[in-house]
Amino acid sequence: MDALPHVARFCDETWGMPRCILPIVVQYLHDANSQVRKTCHQSLLLLLEYELISKSELENEVCPVIVQLANPENVDEFRTEAATLIGRLASFAGRELTENVFLPEFTRMCTDALFHVRKVCATNFGEITSVISRESTEEYLLQKFYYLCEDGVWGVRKACAECFMQVSCAVSPAIRRRDLAPLFISLICDQSRWVRMAAFQALGPFISTFADCNTTGLLYNEKTGEFSISSQAHSKLQTLQTLNSTCSDSASVSNATTPPGESKRSENIQEADDSTNEEVKNSISSQVDLRDNSAISSGAETALNFLDSSGELSENSSSSKAYEQFNAFNYWRTPLTEVELDSVVETTSVLNSHKEKAKSEEEEEEDHITIDPIFDEDPSHGRKRYLQYLYLENSGEDSLGTLIFNHSNDTKRDNMAGDDGAPLRYIDDYSDWSSMPDSQRDVKEESTIHQEQIPQSLLEKFTSMTQVQLAQTVDTEIAKHCAYSLPAVAYTLGRGNWRCLKYTYETLASDMQWKVRRTLAFSIHDLAVILGDEITSVDLVPIFNGFLKDLDEVRVGVLKHLYDFLKLLPVPQRREYLPRLKEFLSTDNIRNWRFRWELAEQCILLCELFTASEVSEHIVPVAMMLAVDKVADVRCMTYKLLGVILRSLRDEERLLQGFVNDLIEGLALSYRWTGRHAFAVLCQHLLQEDGLQDAASLERFAKDFLPSLLALGSDSVPNIRLALARTLTQSVLPIDYMTSTQNPHCDDVLRIFQALQADKDSDVKYFANLPSGAVPLCVSRVSASELV
């Protein structure tokens, strides 16, 4: 069975596909030996991959056998293997055949009594959903997926977590947000550590399914792997930046009069939009009885008039006070409840006693207060209640406002819990914002920033992956998975919501595990494209500078995409990295030659970002050191770099002549044989790879390089004469100009070539007598000996 697909492929290419092969495969699908069946499965998949089985043969001969194996009356092993085959054959069968033949059996096996069958179904769930239509997925498979996610066996739930992204891609955005997001949170909070581990690993990919280029303004090209921003989004971004700068100026003026403890709280204030204002007006109108209390009526009337006149929070004296006191960061998590005004006690003594009681109960239940999930999803409820309190307080009933805010302390909070079920403290538990620890303050500030791209609960779980507690209780490499998925999450949120991930990225960049920092270093250029030039210069450049001083395992990630990152920086900031190119020449392990190879390749690209003088000052010294490297691959890449440098300096005669003199003195006249050998190979590269075919370029080559090249004909090292013979045979003599009378050195060329043909070294003679084009560039001495 192992050789059957290869025999069938050979027969198909020679005589045609034999008809007897497919019946043999079908027969062994229900063989008594499990090893034979597994080998048969692999052979069947290879035959489909080689396109040796038509779709009609698959439908008429293979599918009936698989449906028979999936029969509930069959043994457990057959049903398990049938579920595996259905998942693997779905992509070959196509949508129509999968929906008509495989889908009914697959949905039935999702509720099979044997957990092995359910686990295989959960593992292949994504393969099925990627083939069938969205309507079929939502109608037939989605409920089965919910059932599997709540299965009693942790292995089934873990398999569901691993395929969650594929299932999310197959459903509509509304179902993804409404149903799949809470379901994924339940997997993250699962009692099994393995399920939580798989869920956290799939969290970033699942969040990426919420990406919408119409909202973020970023386009991703799957063929080239590059990001771009649309012109419409670019104009909107400029308008947003203008508004942000205006708001920053006004905020700086207001901060001058803000108490120290309230300065940071006012940074996250969100203005109510027109729809929210309308809801506030209706809420105030419905809750306030204007006939019973004239004072309250005047306060509510003021609120309605205020919203009607401006449509938003204006900056006059009364609204400015409301705007400064209201803070979504302080109040959107507080579980406030609606209070009927008719139930308010009229006497002041009763209100005061109620206030004392509420305060004592608040101190007793401080450690048991949890976040209300409803408020977590819709902060506008807190805004509406606060505005009600605000304008009722302006009517003179101070105790009434106190009652509204303390009423939640009298209600039971048993049904209030966070996503993970752990008790959480209110932000107001800290008497002063500045007294909160820096790490907790940054995390809380980041998690409460309003964004609508993804469910807030998913974002909070993602940002919590940097916590040390999760690394100890869930997965030691959870931070690495967070770093790996962070660019995708940043792309989903868009550059306008970067502040939601800024602290998380900084935490990962300072992680103690070098694998985490290495992951960030390899993706920092992609993140720079997503965030744009301005955010990159402010937030990513300091982290990039830190990676440059890190371990070689981290530095190689920065070096591999050095050009991609530097081209996004402003020209003045880009120039600061030119003197630091020499730092890449020193490595922790001198045998790490690939590090220097990457440096030579990046320098080739960097030449187009800088002027000729900058290239001559900073890149040329690095190239000269790499040209005499001990590793041949590094030298070959450097020859390309030297050719690019020559083209970059072509318009600057003084710099070009200086560079040519450096090449001759540093390579052609070097006391080390590797330098002289490098000069001979460089000349061959300049004539072949750079295509010096115009008369001016050939004259310049004959004037600057040819005399020093011919001087190597009398070198005592055979390898250098061998390189010269190869250069003359393959690159110099085929050019008519080099052997014509127009070349002042034509006689020397012929004389040196004849001397090489009679050289005492057999390898040199071999290459000098080869016809043109017979030996490729950079052929080693060993390969030449083998040819002899």
Side-chain angles (χ1 to χ4, degrees):
M1 289 302 297
D2 289 333
L4 192 60
H6 308 290
V7 173
R9 190 175 188 181
F10 174 77
C11 295
D12 182 68
E13 294 175 353
T14 307
W15 307 291
M17 176 66 178
R19 296 183 179 180
C20 61
I21 291 183
L22 185 58
I24 296 175
V25 176
V26 173
Q27 178 183 356
Y28 286 150
L29 285 176
H30 43 73
D31 192 87
N33 189 286
S34 61
Q35 192 64 34
V36 174
R37 294 197 305 270
K38 291 180 180 179
T39 307
C40 182
H41 297 167
Q42 298 297 329
S43 300
L44 178 61
L45 294 175
L46 284 176
L47 290 174
L48 290 170
E49 184 178 349
Y50 295 155
E51 297 181 354
L52 300 179
I53 300 178
S54 63
K55 186 168 291 187
S56 59
E57 292 176 334
L58 178 64
E59 180 179 1
N60 298 327
E61 299 185 34
V62 179
C63 290
V65 177
I66 297 177
V67 173
Q68 181 183 359
L69 293 175
N71 194 300
E73 299 179 357
N74 267 329
V75 296
D76 299 342
E77 293 183 359
F78 284 178
R79 301 204 310 275
T80 304
E81 293 172 359
T84 304
L85 277 177
I86 289 176
R88 294 183 177 182
L89 295 179
S91 58
F92 297 103
R95 173 180 298 181
E96 183 178 357
L97 184 59
T98 301
E99 291 181 353
N100 295 335
V101 179
F102 290 151
L103 186 58
E105 297 296 328
F106 186 80
T107 55
R108 182 185 54 77
M109 285 189 293
C110 288
T111 57
D112 195 275
L114 185 65
F115 82 91
H116 290 290
V117 178
R118 301 196 304 272
K119 182 179 179 180
V120 173
C121 290
T123 303
N124 295 277
F125 213 95
E127 300 294 336
I128 300 297
T129 56
S130 62
V131 174
I132 65 177
S133 63
R134 174 180 295 181
E135 293 76 12
S136 300
T137 300
E138 296 177 355
E139 182 178 357
Y140 300 106
L141 291 184
L142 208 54
Q143 293 299 326
K144 302 298 181 181
F145 187 70
Y146 299 158
Y147 174 82
L148 293 175
C149 288
E150 298 175 355
D151 196 274
V153 180
W154 67 266
V156 179
R157 303 195 302 273
K158 178 177 178 292
C160 291
E162 292 172 348
C163 69
F164 216 94
M165 185 196 73
Q166 294 175 294
V167 177
S168 178
C169 293
V171 300
S172 63
I175 293 178
R176 184 183 304 131
R177 180 178 293 268
R178 185 186 68 247
D179 299 336
L180 294 187
L183 186 65
F184 193 83
I185 292 297
S186 66
L187 294 177
I188 289 182
C189 303
D190 196 271
Q191 60 182 356
S192 172
R193 175 182 178 179
W194 304 107
V195 178
R196 297 197 304 270
M197 183 186 303
F200 272 112
Q201 292 178 10
L203 177 57
F206 173 56
I207 290 177
S208 66
T209 60
F210 289 87
D212 184 8
C213 61
N214 297 324
T215 304
T216 61
L218 296 173
L219 304 176
Y220 177 71
N221 191 337
E222 295 183 357
K223 295 182 179 180
T224 61
E226 296 179 352
F227 292 97
S228 61
I229 180 170
S230 60
S231 57
Q232 181 179 5
H234 183 68
S235 60
K236 291 182 179 180
L237 183 62
Q238 291 180 341
T239 305
L240 181 61
Q241 291 174 349
T242 304
L243 294 175
N244 289 340
S245 60
T246 305
C247 295
S248 299
D249 295 339
S250 61
S252 61
V253 175
S254 62
N255 287 340
T257 57
T258 305
E262 301 291 333
S263 59
K264 289 192 176 181
R265 297 187 181 188
S266 60
E267 293 178 359
N268 297 312
I269 295 176
Q270 301 288 340
E271 292 188 0
D273 53 8
D274 295 338
S275 60
T276 305
N277 293 337
E278 188 65 26
E279 294 176 3
V280 173
K281 290 163 54 180
N282 297 336
S283 177
I284 294 177
S285 301
S286 62
Q287 299 240 353
V288 178
D289 191 352
L290 302 178
R291 296 173 296 177
D292 294 342
N293 196 318
S294 60
I296 297 178
S297 175
S298 62
E301 215 168 29
T302 303
L304 295 174
N305 293 335
F306 169 71
L307 294 174
D308 283 330
S309 61
S310 62
E312 58 182 4
L313 296 176
S314 61
E315 296 184 359
N316 53 35
S317 58
S318 60
S319 63
S320 177
K321 178 181 178 182
Y323 186 81
E324 292 177 1
Q325 289 184 0
F326 171 68
N327 189 318
F329 184 57
N330 293 330
Y331 297 108
W332 73 299
R333 286 178 173 268
T334 309
L336 305 177
T337 55
E338 299 289 351
V339 180
E340 296 293 338
L341 298 180
D342 295 338
S343 63
V344 178
V345 184
E346 298 179 357
T347 60
T348 306
S349 59
V350 176
L351 289 174
N352 292 335
S353 62
H354 183 83
K355 181 178 179 180
E356 295 294 335
K357 179 182 178 182
K359 184 180 297 184
S360 61
E361 292 184 2
E362 182 181 8
E363 296 175 354
E364 294 177 358
E365 299 181 2
E366 180 179 4
D367 296 333
H368 302 284
I369 299 177
T370 55
I371 298 175
D372 191 348
I374 300 178
F375 277 103
D376 195 273
E377 296 177 358
D378 191 1
S380 61
H381 296 298
R383 296 195 189 106
K384 290 187 289 186
R385 290 169 182 149
Y386 176 73
L387 289 174
Q388 295 175 26
Y389 157 74
L390 182 64
Y391 294 109
L392 291 175
E393 186 184 38
N394 291 337
S395 64
E397 300 291 336
D398 295 337
S399 59
L400 180 61
T402 304
L403 174 61
I404 293 178
F405 271 98
N406 289 322
H407 179 75
S408 60
N409 293 324
D410 297 331
T411 59
K412 299 296 182 182
R413 297 183 174 89
D414 295 338
N415 59 335
M416 299 179 183
D419 294 331
D420 54 357
L424 302 175
R425 292 170 60 90
Y426 284 127
I427 297 172
D428 290 337
D429 291 343
Y430 296 94
S431 58
D432 187 5
W433 178 263
S434 59
S435 64
M436 184 184 295
D438 292 339
S439 59
Q440 297 185 24
R441 179 168 66 246
D442 292 335
V443 171
K444 290 178 180 295
E445 183 178 358
E446 182 181 81
S447 62
T448 54
I449 296 175
H450 182 66
Q451 56 82 31
E452 298 180 353
Q453 287 295 116
I454 60 177
Q456 188 68 23
S457 56
L458 293 178
L459 180 59
E460 291 180 357
K461 292 298 182 183
F462 183 80
T463 56
S464 68
M465 293 175 69
T466 58
Q467 296 179 2
V468 181
Q469 294 84 352
L470 290 179
Q472 296 174 349
T473 59
V474 179
D475 187 4
T476 56
E477 294 188 351
I478 189 173
K480 180 183 176 182
H481 296 295
C482 180
Y484 182 82
S485 303
L486 195 139
V489 178
Y491 169 71
T492 305
L493 291 173
R495 63 183 60 176
N497 294 317
W498 164 244
R499 60 194 186 279
C500 299
L501 296 174
K502 179 181 177 181
Y503 176 75
T504 301
Y505 190 78
E506 293 174 351
T507 303
L508 293 172
S510 59
D511 195 274
M512 294 297 295
Q513 302 182 61
W514 64 266
K515 293 182 179 180
V516 177
R517 304 194 304 274
R518 174 185 169 91
T519 304
L520 294 180
F522 270 93
S523 62
I524 192 171
H525 67 288
D526 287 331
L527 189 61
V529 175
I530 295 172
L531 299 181
D533 303 345
E534 184 178 352
I535 298 178
T536 298
S537 301
V538 177
D539 295 337
L540 296 189
V541 167
I543 297 176
F544 183 83
N545 295 335
F547 289 157
L548 293 178
K549 304 176 183 178
D550 214 312
L551 302 175
D552 286 351
E553 290 79 4
V554 180
R555 295 171 64 204
V556 69
V558 174
L559 177 60
K560 194 174 182 65
H561 303 284
L562 185 62
Y563 165 79
D564 298 327
F565 185 82
L566 292 186
K567 71 178 181 180
L568 301 174
L569 300 181
V571 176
Q573 196 172 19
R574 184 188 305 163
R575 291 171 179 166
E576 298 176 0
Y577 292 94
L578 277 175
R580 308 188 66 175
L581 289 177
K582 295 182 179 180
E583 299 178 4
F584 290 106
L585 293 174
S586 60
T587 57
D588 299 336
N589 184 6
I590 194 173
R591 296 182 179 178
N592 188 9
W593 62 269
R594 290 180 177 85
F595 203 90
R596 301 188 297 275
W597 188 91
E598 290 287 353
L599 177 60
E601 185 180 36
Q602 288 299 310
C603 286
I604 294 175
L605 302 174
L606 291 176
C607 287
E608 68 181 53
L609 296 180
F610 301 100
T611 62
S613 59
E614 293 170 344
V615 171
S616 176
E617 182 181 358
H618 299 286
I619 298 182
V620 168
V622 176
M624 295 298 294
M625 297 183 67
L626 294 175
V628 293
D629 195 88
K630 295 181 178 180
V631 180
D633 280 350
V634 177
R635 295 196 301 270
C636 288
M637 181 58 67
T638 307
Y639 301 149
K640 299 180 182 179
L641 171 60
L642 293 175
V644 173
I645 293 176
L646 282 173
R647 290 196 299 268
S648 301
L649 304 180
R650 184 173 299 174
D651 298 333
E652 299 289 340
E653 180 63 28
R654 182 182 60 84
L655 297 176
L656 178 60
Q657 190 61 44
F659 178 57
V660 171
N661 294 335
D662 291 340
L663 289 177
I664 295 175
E665 294 177 3
L667 299 180
L669 302 178
S670 175
Y671 69 94
R672 301 178 57 183
W673 75 270
T674 55
R676 301 192 300 274
H677 181 272
F679 184 81
V681 179
L682 173 63
C683 292
Q684 183 182 7
H685 179 85
L686 293 177
L687 293 172
Q688 285 188 352
E689 299 296 326
D690 292 352
L692 300 179
Q693 300 298 331
D694 58 288
S697 299
L698 292 176
E699 290 179 3
R700 187 62 184 261
F701 179 85
K703 174 185 175 182
D704 295 335
F705 293 97
L706 192 56
S708 300
L709 177 64
L710 296 176
L712 300 178
S714 59
D715 198 284
S716 60
V717 179
N719 271 358
I720 296 177
R721 300 197 305 273
L722 185 149
L724 175 61
R726 186 173 61 241
T727 301
L728 293 178
T729 304
Q730 302 298 319
S731 304
V732 176
L733 295 178
I735 300 176
D736 296 335
Y737 172 81
M738 294 299 178
T739 56
S740 65
T741 57
Q742 297 177 355
N743 181 12
H745 306 284
C746 64
D747 296 337
D748 297 334
V749 170
L750 297 176
R751 178 175 56 83
I752 296 298
F753 181 68
Q754 292 175 359
L756 293 175
Q757 286 180 330
D759 195 272
K760 60 182 180 180
D761 188 272
S762 59
D763 292 335
V764 176
K765 287 193 298 184
Y766 175 82
F767 277 97
N769 289 280
L770 278 179
S772 177
V775 181
L777 186 64
C778 292
V779 174
S780 63
R781 179 180 174 87
V782 175
S783 60
S785 302
E786 292 174 354
L787 291 174
V788 176

